[in-house]
């Protein structure tokens, strides 16, 4: 089967190399590369979650490599929002949607906070990045790299902080939520609120750690994904 992975704000497709290596060959990991970074760095950045979800949905429809394969979605932080929005678009067309959506490190779509990090000066944006962890701190000390990376992160923050979902938006796909018990951006109650956004079954896995708990618990996270996808995998 195919697992489509959606990176966090400022993240890139390469973030999911470890998951791809661990799940191969039973699961083909297809990681989304957002415009404006790495090999797509010359493309205009997209600062609207709806537009980005539309673009990703169109790419998945046009990609013949995964035709006929059951698929699941995994998204971390901003990626969890995009996984949900793309699933909504697939299901609204009446097509076969993901067999499961894994929403990691993000509060439920109907839960909003008045975050304005994207409006802060560079120094405060960098402070927020350090606070969350999950980013190689070496580039934060390099002015040339900062000039390249900070605009990408700011654009992603602008997109996700302005995102608003209808509180009654629901997908048919079952949802597995993964969250850190010390994540400053998602309380356990906000993680549990994903239950209201699926007509399928719901599971919540809590890990010790903050926003990027999945790096500390990489093996356990992959085990959680493997176990949930087990019923859909054919023996080889």
């Amino acid at each position: 089967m195919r697992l489509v992975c959606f990176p966090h704000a400022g993240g890139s497709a390469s973030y999911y190399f470890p998951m791809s290596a661990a799940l191969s060959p039973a699961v083909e990991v297809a990681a989304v590369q957002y415009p404006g970074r790495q090999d797509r760095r010359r493309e205009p950045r997209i600062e609207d979650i709806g537009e980005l979800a539309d673009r990703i949905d169109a790419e998945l429809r046009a990609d013949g490599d995964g035709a006929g394969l059951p698929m699941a979605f995994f998204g971390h932080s901003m990626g969890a929002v995009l996984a949900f929005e793309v699933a909504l678009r697939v299901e609204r067309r009446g097509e076969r949607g993901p067999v499961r959506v894994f929403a990691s490190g993000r509060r439920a779509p109907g839960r909003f906070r008045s975050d304005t990090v994207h409006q802060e000066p560079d120094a405060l944006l960098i402070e927020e990045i350090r606070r969350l962890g999950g980013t190689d701190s070496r580039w934060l000390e390099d002015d040339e790299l900062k000039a390249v990376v900070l605009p990408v992160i700011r654009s992603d923050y602008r997109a996700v902080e302005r995102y608003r979902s209808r509180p009654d938006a629901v997908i048919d796909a079952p949802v597995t939520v993964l969250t850190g018990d010390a994540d400053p951006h998602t309380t356990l109650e906000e993680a549990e609120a994903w239950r209201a956004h699926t007509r399928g079954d719901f599971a919540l896995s809590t890990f010790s750690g903050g926003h990027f708990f999945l790096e500390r618990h990489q093996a356990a996270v992959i085990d959680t994904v493997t176990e949930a996808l087990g019923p859909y995998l054919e023996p080889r």
Side-chain angles (χ1 to χ4, degrees):
M1 70 177 303
R2 167 175 280 193
L3 179 65
V4 182
C5 293
F6 301 77
H8 55 277
S12 60
S14 58
Y15 189 78
Y16 288 105
F17 280 161
M19 184 171 289
S20 176
L23 296 179
S24 178
V27 178
E28 173 195 285
V29 172
V32 176
Q33 185 77 297
Y34 308 140
R37 66 213 71 203
Q38 292 189 345
D39 55 315
R40 302 187 69 185
R41 62 187 178 279
R42 292 184 175 86
E43 298 180 39
R45 298 184 296 273
I46 297 176
E47 299 183 343
D48 179 82
I49 292 295
E51 180 184 350
L52 189 52
D54 287 341
R55 292 271 295 273
I56 295 169
D57 180 38
E59 289 292 333
L60 290 175
R61 293 174 68 186
D63 182 12
D65 290 344
L69 289 177
M71 64 179 175
F73 292 168
F74 185 105
H76 181 69
S77 194
M78 183 180 82
V81 167
L82 282 164
F84 177 75
E85 287 293 329
V86 175
L88 274 175
R89 283 155 173 76
V90 175
E91 291 183 357
R92 284 170 179 169
R93 289 196 304 274
E95 298 179 7
R96 182 174 67 171
V99 298
R100 183 167 290 271
V101 172
F102 297 90
S104 169
R106 180 69 190 182
R107 54 189 175 271
R111 296 300 180 96
F112 309 124
R113 296 187 187 183
S114 299
D115 295 326
T116 57
V117 176
H118 72 276
Q119 297 176 343
E120 300 292 350
D122 287 354
L124 292 180
L125 180 57
I126 290 172
E127 183 180 324
E128 169 70 4
I129 294 167
R130 289 187 190 278
R131 183 171 72 99
L132 292 181
T135 300
D136 187 343
S137 62
R138 288 176 295 181
W139 74 264
L140 298 174
E141 311 300 333
D142 187 309
D143 290 339
E144 188 173 339
L145 284 176
K146 281 194 291 188
V148 173
V149 177
L150 277 182
V152 174
I153 295 176
R154 189 179 297 280
S155 290
D156 288 353
Y157 268 64
R158 182 177 292 112
V160 75
E161 289 180 349
R162 291 178 173 178
Y163 168 73
R164 294 293 182 269
S165 169
R166 289 178 50 181
D168 59 348
V170 180
I171 57 176
D172 292 327
V175 172
T176 294
V177 173
L178 302 90
T179 190
D181 60 7
D183 187 344
H185 283 305
T186 305
T187 66
L188 292 180
E189 191 271 336
E190 288 172 325
E192 172 70 31
W194 275 94
R195 185 186 298 272
H197 293 277
T198 175
R199 298 184 187 92
D201 66 85
F202 173 83
L204 174 63
S205 295
T206 304
F207 301 84
S208 62
H211 191 61
F212 284 96
F213 65 88
L214 70 176
E215 296 184 2
R216 182 194 302 178
H217 301 285
Q218 187 176 99
V221 168
I222 290 172
D223 285 347
T224 299
V225 172
T226 302
E227 182 177 354
L229 296 183
Y232 307 100
L233 299 178
E234 295 181 0
R236 294 183 176 251

